[in-house]
Amino acid sequence: MPKLLIDVIDDVGNCLLFVREVMFTALTSPCSFASICEQIWTVTLQSLPTTALAGFFVGAIMTVQFTLQITTFGALGYLGGLSTSGTVREVGPLLIAFLLSGKVGAFTSAELGTMQVTEQIDAIRCLGANPIQEIILPRYLGIIISSFFLLAVGLVMSIFGGMLLGLVFSGINPEEYVRHIPTIVNKFSVANGMFKCLVFAFLLASICTYKGYSARGGAKGVGRAVVSTAVLTMVGIVVFDWLTSLITDTAMNVVLGNS
Amino acid sequence: MIDFKNIRKSFGEREVLKGITFSVPEGQILFILGTSGTGKSVLLKTIVGLLKPSSGEVFINDREISCLSEREMFPVRRMCGMVFQQPALFDSLSIFENVAFGLRKHQPELDHAQLSARVKECLALVNLSGIEDKLPQAISYGMQKRVSLARTVAVSPRILLFDEPTTGLDPVTTNSINHLILELSRKLKTTSLVVSHDMQCALDIADHILVLDKGEIVAQGPPQTLKQSTHPLVQDFLREALNAETAH
């Protein structure tokens, strides 16, 4: 078997063992509520401006794209619903995940990697504390919980952006824009978006904390950890996007088929 | 009492420790000397389970600890205090929080006043006072090393481990750290293991010296005995110590 393949399998296996340890720690010796809140605050603050800005423009882009398509069918009234549905189901969670990957993922990986190579993590262990409980778990949960806040902000901003562009570009007034949103964006769309958001956040938190925690070899090792975090999360998000789309579509067909 | 029995450690193909056996009686200061890459730090890290030996056993007070899992090691580590080669201070926490970190874990019953008093006491032990509110990056490297020492002794360990505690320090700070090691070890009645390159310091304060070369013990004994050693590496160290003393 080629060495590269063995290394990949080894890395995936170690990452899964690491996640299992994080889960076990979360259940048996959870971290303090204050430390989780601190991480939520940090992650949210780090990504809020970019998420809001990106959300606004995603809504705007969706509106422009859908306008070109649905004008042909004379269904411009559904512009807000279609645009928002696309954002809630797909683009929103994907966008949040990419933004978090670039900002929070890289930051967390670098921070933990630096702690590892400067022996701070060993110092925690030597002081009789569990580093998973002290530094990994708060960051892990912080990333997952904040991604939902950021998703909400991103979605609100995308509706706002879409509404504004709808008014300017297509001449649809805001009332008309939001009127069909509840018709097209149903509870399945929201559940679908939240499920994707959860999966992506879980994936990102796992990769960036694992890569940072397992960094070795000084500054170069930290650099390697950050790069592999960026690459793996991007690839992982795309792969899991396909997988979650498959799962949610199948689940929706089953539920709708039975009802 | 710490016992090492036939400790071997390999990293891939490279065998770093090749069957190390020795004991450290309670209350003694043991210096482990050797050139870089001879496995001194690896040996020290096997005591606190930061590294597991490939084979062999480590005993602390007749309890084998080399076979313990990460979770089982937590109580063992509470007996030990380790000062790392780098200060390894938590850079997002103030000096106060750094020193209080272990105390919060070991003695959660302490209220803020007691905690504060203990932190100040430990900082005073290393001749640092009034820097509690500063961040690690706001003080010098030598001071960071001393804070690291204060953080370690705050939890009253019975075993103190020093991994090249004076690396990268000027001669004056090196001297003060070396005297702190002696003072703390005597005052707190701890068993101390010091990994170092500094033969002069070892001759001054160690009860027992062990010299490692290429993963093997090449000489050991009390300072006076070691001075008689004919091993070339020991001779090199002694010559270097003599030169340093002459230079001063």
Side-chain angles (χ1 to χ4, degrees), chain A residues 117-181:
Chain A
V117 300
T118 55
E119 298 180 314
Q120 291 180 50
I121 291 179
D122 283 346
I124 293 175
R125 293 165 76 191
C126 283
L127 286 165
N130 180 356
I132 301 278
Q133 180 191 14
E134 296 296 329
I135 55 166
I136 302 295
L137 199 55
R139 283 166 177 77
Y140 203 94
L141 296 176
I143 290 174
I144 292 175
I145 298 168
S146 328
S147 65
F148 285 101
F149 287 139
L150 293 167
L151 178 68
V153 171
L155 291 181
V156 169
M157 288 304 288
S158 76
I159 293 173
F160 184 67
M163 208 188 300
L164 194 71
L165 259 285
L167 181 68
V168 175
F169 190 73
S170 320
I172 299 178
N173 66 50
E175 270 179 27
E176 182 71 9
Y177 187 87
V178 294
R179 193 155 60 91
H180 285 294
I181 292 178

Side-chain angles (χ1 to χ4, degrees), chain A:
Chain A
M1 206 185 286
K3 190 181 175 300
L4 182 69
L5 188 62
I6 295 171
D7 287 347
V8 169
I9 294 169
D10 188 46
D11 211 24
V12 171
N14 283 332
C15 186
L16 291 175
L17 288 174
F18 173 79
V19 173
R20 190 190 69 168
E21 184 61 29
V22 173
M23 295 297 130
F24 183 73
T25 307
L27 295 173
T28 55
S29 40
C31 54
S32 71
F33 183 66
S35 63
I36 301 174
C37 289
E38 194 187 317
Q39 286 302 321
I40 293 172
W41 181 246
T42 309
V43 173
T44 309
L45 270 193
Q46 265 179 356
S47 304
L48 196 64
T50 36
T51 306
L53 191 72
F56 179 89
F57 281 102
V58 162
I61 294 162
M62 296 289 274
T63 298
V64 172
Q65 290 299 324
F66 276 118
T67 301
L68 298 172
Q69 311 298 321
I70 63 178
T71 308
T72 320
F73 301 101
L76 209 54
Y78 289 97
L79 180 65
L82 283 172
S83 164
T84 308
S85 172
T87 310
V88 170
R89 288 175 57 88
E90 183 64 43
V91 187
L94 204 60
L95 171 87
I96 304 300
F98 279 141
L99 284 176
L100 281 179
S101 160
K103 291 204 81 168
V104 179
F107 176 82
T108 307
S109 179
E111 188 186 25
L112 293 174
T114 306
M115 288 183 84
Q116 183 67 268
V117 300
T118 55
E119 298 180 314
Q120 291 180 50
I121 291 179
D122 283 346
I124 293 175
R125 293 165 76 191
C126 283
L127 286 165
N130 180 356
I132 301 278
Q133 180 191 14
E134 296 296 329
I135 55 166
I136 302 295
L137 199 55
R139 283 166 177 77
Y140 203 94
L141 296 176
I143 290 174
I144 292 175
I145 298 168
S146 328
S147 65
F148 285 101
F149 287 139
L150 293 167
L151 178 68
V153 171
L155 291 181
V156 169
M157 288 304 288
S158 76
I159 293 173
F160 184 67
M163 208 188 300
L164 194 71
L165 259 285
L167 181 68
V168 175
F169 190 73
S170 320
I172 299 178
N173 66 50
E175 270 179 27
E176 182 71 9
Y177 187 87
V178 294
R179 193 155 60 91
H180 285 294
I181 292 178
T183 321
I184 299 175
V185 182
N186 53 25
K187 58 186 178 188
F188 291 112
S189 313
V190 176
N192 179 66
M194 287 177 73
F195 176 64
K196 282 192 174 188
C197 188
L198 176 71
V199 171
F200 297 159
F202 185 79
L203 184 75
L204 172 65
S206 303
I207 292 174
C208 73
T209 52
Y210 166 69
K211 282 289 170 190
Y213 191 69
S214 58
R216 295 286 183 277
K220 205 172 176 183
V222 177
R224 267 198 304 267
V226 175
V227 170
S228 55
T229 297
V231 173
L232 286 176
T233 47
M234 294 288 182
V235 174
I237 286 164
V238 175
V239 172
F240 274 80
D241 187 31
W242 166 77
L243 202 64
T244 49
S245 295
L246 204 70
I247 293 168
T248 50
D249 285 356
T250 311
M252 206 168 88
N253 285 337
V254 170
V255 173
L256 291 180
N258 288 342
S259 61

Side-chain angles (χ1 to χ4, degrees), chain B residues 57-240:
Chain B
E57 295 147 342
V58 182
F59 292 87
I60 295 181
N61 297 335
D62 299 325
R63 184 185 178 198
E64 197 197 339
I65 53 119
S66 42
C67 60
L68 299 181
S69 70
E70 181 71 12
R71 282 176 180 278
E72 288 167 332
M73 276 307 291
F74 291 145
V76 176
R77 287 183 185 140
R78 292 187 181 188
M79 282 199 298
C80 308
M82 183 155 177
V83 177
F84 290 87
Q85 207 166 336
Q86 303 177 62
L89 297 179
F90 311 129
D91 41 24
S92 57
L93 302 181
S94 67
I95 300 299
F96 178 92
E97 287 301 327
N98 264 283
V99 181
F101 185 90
L103 282 171
R104 290 191 201 279
K105 296 284 146 205
H106 291 235
Q107 293 162 277
E109 71 282 358
L110 292 183
D111 61 29
H112 186 74
Q114 289 170 316
L115 197 71
S116 181
R118 179 73 183 138
V119 169
K120 283 181 179 159
E121 185 192 346
C122 292
L123 285 171
L125 265 180
V126 295
N127 305 320
L128 288 174
S129 296
I131 58 158
E132 292 86 347
D133 297 332
K134 291 192 167 149
L135 285 171
Q137 50 271 38
I139 59 173
S140 72
Y141 189 73
M143 287 164 93
Q144 288 182 23
K145 283 261 192 179
R146 284 193 275 162
V147 172
S148 161
L149 198 53
R151 180 180 64 181
T152 306
V153 297
V155 292
S156 312
R158 287 162 55 201
I159 299 165
L160 276 172
L161 309 169
F162 299 89
D163 188 3
E164 299 188 24
T166 54
T167 300
L169 295 177
D170 60 86
V172 177
T173 318
T174 299
N175 240 343
S176 83
I177 295 269
N178 287 337
H179 282 106
L180 269 172
I181 293 171
L182 179 65
E183 207 179 303
L184 291 173
S185 302
R186 297 290 181 245
K187 200 184 271 183
L188 306 172
K189 295 184 175 66
T190 55
T191 307
S192 301
L193 275 84
V194 187
V195 161
S196 178
H197 300 283
D198 190 347
M199 176 60 105
Q200 186 54 54
C201 171
L203 293 173
D204 286 347
I205 67 174
D207 295 310
H208 198 90
I209 301 172
L210 193 133
V211 183
L212 279 187
D213 188 28
K214 294 175 187 141
E216 288 172 344
I217 298 173
V218 293
Q220 63 172 313
Q224 288 310 317
T225 314
L226 211 79
K227 277 181 181 172
Q228 317 303 324
S229 171
T230 53
H231 192 277
L233 182 66
V234 182
Q235 286 294 315
D236 281 350
F237 270 116
L238 288 169
R239 211 173 300 121
E240 201 57 45

